[in-house]
Amino acid sequence: KQWYQRRVRGSTIKMKFLITLSLLLVAALSVEVEQAPASSTIRRLLSRATLYDKQGRRVTLDDLRGKYIGIYFSGHWCSPCRKMTPVLSQVWQRESSRFEVIWVTQDHSEGDANDYYNKSMPWLRMPFNEARSIGRELFSAVRQRYIPTLTMLDPSFNVINYNARSQIERDSSGRGFPWRG
Protein backbone atom coordinates (compact mmCIF):
# COMPACT_ATOMS: atom_id res chain seq x y z
CA LYS A 1 0.00 0.00 0.00
CA GLN A 2 2.81 2.46 0.86
CA TRP A 3 4.58 1.55 -2.35
CA TYR A 4 1.41 2.30 -4.31
CA GLN A 5 0.90 5.65 -2.51
CA ARG A 6 4.51 6.72 -3.21
CA ARG A 7 4.12 5.74 -6.84
CA VAL A 8 0.86 7.69 -7.17
CA ARG A 9 2.37 10.70 -5.39
CA GLY A 10 5.43 10.52 -7.70
CA SER A 11 3.15 10.32 -10.73
CA THR A 12 1.14 13.29 -9.46
CA ILE A 13 4.28 15.37 -9.05
CA LYS A 14 5.46 14.39 -12.53
CA MET A 15 2.03 15.20 -13.96
CA LYS A 16 1.96 18.62 -12.24
CA PHE A 17 5.45 19.29 -13.55
CA LEU A 18 4.43 18.34 -17.10
CA ILE A 19 1.28 20.45 -16.91
CA THR A 20 3.26 23.43 -15.60
CA LEU A 21 5.87 22.96 -18.31
CA SER A 22 3.15 22.70 -20.95
CA LEU A 23 1.48 25.87 -19.72
CA LEU A 24 4.78 27.74 -19.78
CA LEU A 25 5.42 26.53 -23.31
CA VAL A 26 1.95 27.57 -24.47
CA ALA A 27 2.39 30.96 -22.79
CA ALA A 28 5.77 31.44 -24.43
CA LEU A 29 4.41 30.54 -27.83
CA SER A 30 1.33 32.69 -27.46
CA VAL A 31 3.31 35.82 -26.62
CA GLU A 32 3.23 37.91 -29.73
CA VAL A 33 6.57 37.68 -31.44
CA GLU A 34 7.99 41.13 -31.94
CA GLN A 35 8.35 41.45 -35.67
CA ALA A 36 10.21 43.96 -37.71
CA PRO A 37 8.02 46.83 -38.82
CA ALA A 38 6.57 46.28 -42.24
CA SER A 39 8.48 47.95 -45.01
CA SER A 40 5.18 49.59 -45.97
CA THR A 41 5.02 51.36 -42.58
CA ILE A 42 8.54 52.71 -42.95
CA ARG A 43 7.92 53.68 -46.58
CA ARG A 44 4.67 55.41 -45.59
CA LEU A 45 6.38 57.43 -42.86
CA LEU A 46 9.29 58.39 -45.09
CA SER A 47 6.96 59.32 -47.95
CA ARG A 48 5.13 61.73 -45.62
CA ALA A 49 8.42 63.48 -44.86
CA THR A 50 10.05 66.16 -46.96
CA LEU A 51 13.68 65.21 -47.50
CA TYR A 52 16.35 67.72 -48.52
CA ASP A 53 19.90 67.30 -49.70
CA LYS A 54 22.81 69.48 -48.61
CA GLN A 55 22.06 72.03 -51.34
CA GLY A 56 18.46 72.40 -50.14
CA ARG A 57 16.93 70.46 -53.04
CA ARG A 58 13.96 68.23 -52.31
CA VAL A 59 14.65 64.50 -52.67
CA THR A 60 11.94 61.88 -53.14
CA LEU A 61 11.97 58.21 -52.25
CA ASP A 62 12.04 57.46 -55.98
CA ASP A 63 15.37 59.30 -56.11
CA LEU A 64 16.71 56.75 -53.62
CA ARG A 65 15.66 53.74 -55.69
CA GLY A 66 18.17 50.91 -55.51
CA LYS A 67 20.08 52.36 -52.56
CA TYR A 68 20.50 51.12 -49.05
CA ILE A 69 19.23 53.71 -46.59
CA GLY A 70 20.53 54.53 -43.16
CA ILE A 71 18.14 56.40 -40.91
CA TYR A 72 20.42 58.32 -38.57
CA PHE A 73 18.97 59.65 -35.33
CA SER A 74 21.30 62.07 -33.51
CA GLY A 75 21.58 65.49 -31.95
CA HIS A 76 24.29 68.10 -31.48
CA TRP A 77 24.02 67.97 -27.66
CA CYS A 78 24.91 64.26 -27.63
CA SER A 79 28.65 63.62 -27.26
CA PRO A 80 28.49 60.07 -28.73
CA CYS A 81 26.59 61.54 -31.69
CA ARG A 82 29.33 64.08 -32.31
CA LYS A 83 31.83 61.20 -32.35
CA MET A 84 29.72 59.00 -34.61
CA THR A 85 28.85 61.61 -37.24
CA PRO A 86 32.38 61.99 -38.71
CA VAL A 87 32.81 58.19 -38.84
CA LEU A 88 29.48 57.80 -40.64
CA SER A 89 30.39 60.68 -42.95
CA GLN A 90 33.59 58.92 -44.06
CA VAL A 91 31.71 55.71 -44.77
CA TRP A 92 28.94 57.59 -46.58
CA GLN A 93 31.47 59.34 -48.83
CA ARG A 94 32.97 55.99 -49.85
CA GLU A 95 29.61 54.26 -50.36
CA SER A 96 27.39 57.13 -51.56
CA SER A 97 26.72 55.52 -54.92
CA ARG A 98 24.75 52.76 -53.19
CA PHE A 99 24.06 54.21 -49.75
CA GLU A 100 22.08 57.22 -48.56
CA VAL A 101 21.69 58.54 -45.04
CA ILE A 102 18.59 60.35 -43.85
CA TRP A 103 19.27 62.41 -40.75
CA VAL A 104 16.43 62.77 -38.26
CA THR A 105 17.39 65.35 -35.66
CA GLN A 106 16.85 64.78 -31.99
CA ASP A 107 17.85 68.37 -31.20
CA HIS A 108 15.68 70.58 -29.06
CA SER A 109 15.81 73.65 -31.27
CA GLU A 110 15.79 74.26 -34.98
CA GLY A 111 18.85 76.52 -34.72
CA ASP A 112 20.91 73.81 -33.03
CA ALA A 113 19.76 71.26 -35.59
CA ASN A 114 20.64 73.54 -38.51
CA ASP A 115 24.09 74.34 -37.09
CA TYR A 116 24.88 70.68 -36.48
CA TYR A 117 23.73 69.66 -39.96
CA ASN A 118 25.52 72.48 -41.78
CA LYS A 119 28.82 71.86 -39.99
CA SER A 120 28.89 68.08 -39.91
CA MET A 121 26.68 66.29 -42.41
CA PRO A 122 26.85 65.74 -46.18
CA TRP A 123 23.65 63.67 -46.55
CA LEU A 124 19.88 64.09 -46.60
CA ARG A 125 17.85 65.50 -43.77
CA MET A 126 14.30 65.65 -42.54
CA PRO A 127 13.30 69.21 -41.58
CA PHE A 128 13.17 70.01 -37.86
CA ASN A 129 9.38 70.34 -37.64
CA GLU A 130 8.86 66.99 -39.38
CA ALA A 131 11.53 65.33 -37.24
CA ARG A 132 9.43 66.34 -34.22
CA SER A 133 6.37 64.53 -35.62
CA ILE A 134 7.12 62.05 -38.40
CA GLY A 135 10.62 61.50 -37.06
CA ARG A 136 9.25 60.47 -33.67
CA GLU A 137 6.89 58.00 -35.32
CA LEU A 138 9.78 56.64 -37.35
CA PHE A 139 11.96 56.39 -34.21
CA SER A 140 9.26 54.22 -32.64
CA ALA A 141 8.57 52.23 -35.81
CA VAL A 142 12.20 51.14 -36.01
CA ARG A 143 12.20 50.44 -32.26
CA GLN A 144 14.85 52.92 -31.22
CA ARG A 145 15.40 53.99 -27.63
CA TYR A 146 18.60 56.03 -27.64
CA ILE A 147 20.91 58.06 -29.85
CA PRO A 148 23.05 58.00 -31.83
CA THR A 149 21.63 55.16 -33.78
CA LEU A 150 21.58 54.15 -37.40
CA THR A 151 18.89 51.84 -38.69
CA MET A 152 19.81 50.24 -42.02
CA LEU A 153 17.16 49.56 -44.65
CA ASP A 154 17.59 47.55 -47.81
CA PRO A 155 16.45 49.10 -51.12
CA SER A 156 12.93 47.74 -50.47
CA PHE A 157 12.75 49.56 -47.10
CA ASN A 158 13.08 46.38 -45.04
CA VAL A 159 15.06 46.77 -41.82
CA ILE A 160 18.31 44.82 -42.14
CA ASN A 161 19.97 46.20 -39.02
CA TYR A 162 18.41 48.13 -36.15
CA ASN A 163 21.77 49.22 -34.77
CA ALA A 164 24.34 49.50 -37.52
CA ARG A 165 26.14 52.13 -35.42
CA SER A 166 28.17 49.56 -33.52
CA GLN A 167 29.19 47.80 -36.72
CA ILE A 168 30.20 51.02 -38.46
CA GLU A 169 32.26 52.13 -35.48
CA ARG A 170 34.17 48.83 -35.73
CA ASP A 171 34.24 48.91 -39.55
CA SER A 172 34.83 52.53 -40.52
CA SER A 173 36.40 51.34 -43.78
CA GLY A 174 32.95 50.18 -44.91
CA ARG A 175 34.12 46.66 -45.81
CA GLY A 176 31.07 45.15 -44.06
CA PHE A 177 28.57 47.31 -45.95
CA PRO A 178 25.55 47.12 -45.70
CA TRP A 179 26.09 45.87 -42.14
CA ARG A 180 23.28 43.35 -41.95
CA GLY A 181 22.31 42.72 -38.34
Side-chain angles (χ1 to χ4, degrees):
K1 189 172 180 178
Q2 287 179 345
W3 173 82
Y4 178 74
Q5 287 175 340
R6 275 187 261 141
R7 187 173 173 120
V8 169
R9 197 172 329 146
S11 294
T12 303
I13 291 171
K14 287 179 188 174
M15 185 60 77
K16 285 181 181 179
F17 175 75
L18 289 174
I19 289 171
T20 303
L21 190 60
S22 298
L23 289 173
L24 288 173
L25 182 61
V26 168
L29 293 175
S30 66
V31 171
E32 186 176 323
V33 176
E34 191 173 313
Q35 295 181 355
S39 62
S40 60
T41 300
I42 295 169
R43 181 183 264 287
R44 180 181 52 78
L45 288 168
L46 287 174
S47 67
R48 285 179 34 211
T50 310
L51 304 175
Y52 292 99
D53 67 11
K54 191 70 175 189
Q55 291 73 37
R57 294 181 297 240
R58 186 169 181 178
V59 176
T60 67
L61 295 185
D62 286 339
D63 296 329
L64 305 179
R65 188 177 320 215
K67 287 191 173 191
Y68 287 88
I69 298 170
I71 304 173
Y72 182 45
F73 298 94
S74 72
H76 91 284
W77 53 268
C78 165
S79 177
C81 297
R82 290 191 310 272
K83 291 178 184 170
M84 173 64 186
T85 299
V87 173
L88 181 57
S89 181
Q90 290 175 350
V91 172
W92 178 84
Q93 289 172 357
R94 278 193 292 279
E95 301 294 338
S96 63
S97 65
R98 57 188 182 146
F99 174 46
E100 189 55 74
V101 173
I102 298 171
W103 179 55
V104 182
T105 183
Q106 302 297 297
D107 281 308
H108 304 296
S109 77
E110 188 168 7
D112 288 341
N114 290 339
D115 288 345
Y116 185 40
Y117 179 76
N118 291 332
K119 291 177 186 171
S120 308
M121 300 179 197
W123 45 68
L124 305 180
R125 74 179 294 186
M126 183 182 293
F128 180 79
N129 63 329
E130 292 181 14
R132 306 293 283 173
S133 56
I134 298 167
R136 284 186 179 158
E137 289 181 62
L138 194 56
F139 192 78
S140 293
V142 296
R143 299 188 306 216
Q144 296 304 331
R145 292 189 176 95
Y146 59 87
I147 61 171
T149 192
L150 180 75
T151 299
M152 286 297 296
L153 309 177
D154 69 13
S156 298
F157 297 92
N158 296 305
V159 174
I160 59 172
N161 192 333
Y162 284 99
N163 187 13
R165 170 195 170 195
S166 58
Q167 287 178 298
I168 290 172
E169 287 176 330
R170 289 189 306 264
D171 175 33
S172 61
S173 68
R175 284 187 301 261
F177 180 84
W179 310 287
R180 292 182 186 274

